[in-house]
Amino acid sequence: KNQVEQSPQSLIILEGKNCTLQCNYTVSPFSNLRWYKQDTGRGPVSLTIMTFSENTKSNGRYTATLDADTKQSSLHITASQLSDSASYICVVSAKGNTPLVFGKGTRLSVIA
Amino acid sequence: GAVVSQHPSRVICKSGTSVKIECRSLDFQATTMFWYRQFPKQSLMLMATSNEGSKATYEQGVEKDKFLINHASLTLSTLTVTSAHPEDSSFYICSARESGHSYNSPLHFGNGTRLTVT
């Protein structure tokens, strides 16, 4: 069964600190992996998309990594800001016209 | 960047009434749009795939007669929750992919509609 598991479920960090969120998946055959940021009461916003051949991709203070062999991805946030407080969702797509598989997200709270 | 507009953002309705939610792609054409439902602290759950000019494809367990989808143009899809009940209260989100783009292209999400059925 195609699944996406994220950890931790929630995380609280001090402003200015770094953090890393994890995503493990069993989706096959793998097409791409996406990280989204979802503010409370809003729709998800795309941060990165990575295909099989990409190991790392950055978007400002966000850096995503992908290990297609171990089926793991991480999202690293550098120098966190209060506005980074949100849910971060890992989404994996299988090849072909199949539904995306969503993780439950990691709820990040950045505090002053 | 590509923008998906969803309306209304919030709606409160009485049990038994119907509610229509609109999803518009503002600056691109979307042959395919997707409708999701999200309960608190849960993942987005795909309800149906909306295809312009044809019938929507519903996920298992989603009643097509209760959740009516119309995708009449390349920029508009609507979801109508018919005979709403309190258990239909949820956060409904649409997304769209630009026509002609591959599956590796970004999905653009609307800002969601918070439905509360009293």
Side-chain angles (χ1 to χ4, degrees):
Chain A
K1 181 181 178 182
N2 288 335
Q3 287 185 314
V4 174
E5 299 289 339
Q6 290 188 245
S7 62
Q9 186 175 11
S10 62
L11 181 63
I12 301 174
I13 61 172
L14 292 174
E15 184 180 14
K17 298 295 186 182
N18 303 335
C19 68
T20 300
L21 314 180
Q22 301 291 341
C23 174
N24 297 336
Y25 62 92
T26 59
V27 178
S28 181
F30 176 82
S31 176
N32 62 73
L33 184 145
R34 313 158 189 245
W35 282 96
Y36 285 89
K37 177 186 179 186
Q38 184 179 21
D39 292 315
T40 301
R42 310 282 284 186
V45 174
S46 179
L47 296 176
T48 63
I49 298 176
M50 288 188 292
T51 58
F52 184 87
S53 59
E54 296 175 296
N55 299 121
T56 184
K57 183 169 280 190
S58 292
N59 178 1
R61 293 180 296 103
Y62 301 103
T63 299
T65 65
L66 173 65
D67 186 333
D69 292 330
T70 61
K71 299 186 177 181
Q72 296 179 327
S73 174
S74 66
L75 180 69
H76 186 76
I77 304 175
T78 305
S80 62
Q81 300 175 358
L82 298 178
S83 60
D84 292 333
S85 296
S87 286
Y88 291 84
I89 304 172
C90 177
V91 184
V92 183
S93 176
K95 289 183 179 179
N97 191 18
T98 56
L100 300 179
V101 184
F102 287 77
K104 290 185 177 181
T106 292
R107 186 173 297 275
L108 173 67
S109 298
V110 181
I111 60 175
Chain B
V3 176
V4 173
S5 174
Q6 196 171 333
H7 178 81
S9 58
R10 292 177 181 271
V11 58
I12 301 173
C13 70
K14 291 185 177 181
S15 186
T17 62
S18 295
V19 174
K20 179 185 284 188
I21 303 170
E22 292 187 347
C23 180
R24 294 181 184 272
S25 56
L26 295 187
D27 49 2
F28 66 97
Q29 294 183 332
T31 306
T32 303
M33 293 185 176
F34 304 90
W35 287 96
Y36 302 86
R37 181 166 50 184
Q38 186 178 32
F39 293 105
K41 298 184 179 180
Q42 296 294 312
S43 176
L44 278 74
M45 297 296 297
L46 179 66
M47 299 175 64
T49 301
S50 169
N51 300 295
E52 186 268 336
S54 64
K55 291 182 179 180
T57 303
Y58 290 82
E59 295 302 302
Q60 191 173 11
V62 178
E63 300 176 53
K64 63 179 182 180
D65 294 330
K66 180 169 182 61
F67 298 99
L68 301 178
I69 291 174
N70 186 294
H71 194 155
S73 76
L74 286 173
T75 59
L76 174 64
S77 175
T78 61
L79 168 68
T80 301
V81 183
T82 63
S83 187
H85 291 282
E87 56 265 32
D88 296 325
S89 299
S90 187
F91 192 54
Y92 292 85
I93 307 175
C94 71
S95 70
R97 179 183 289 119
E98 292 188 54
S99 297
H101 284 223
S102 73
Y103 299 119
N104 290 333
S105 61
L107 264 185
H108 307 290
F109 286 84
N111 272 325
T113 297
R114 172 75 58 192
L115 171 63
T116 303
V117 184
T118 60

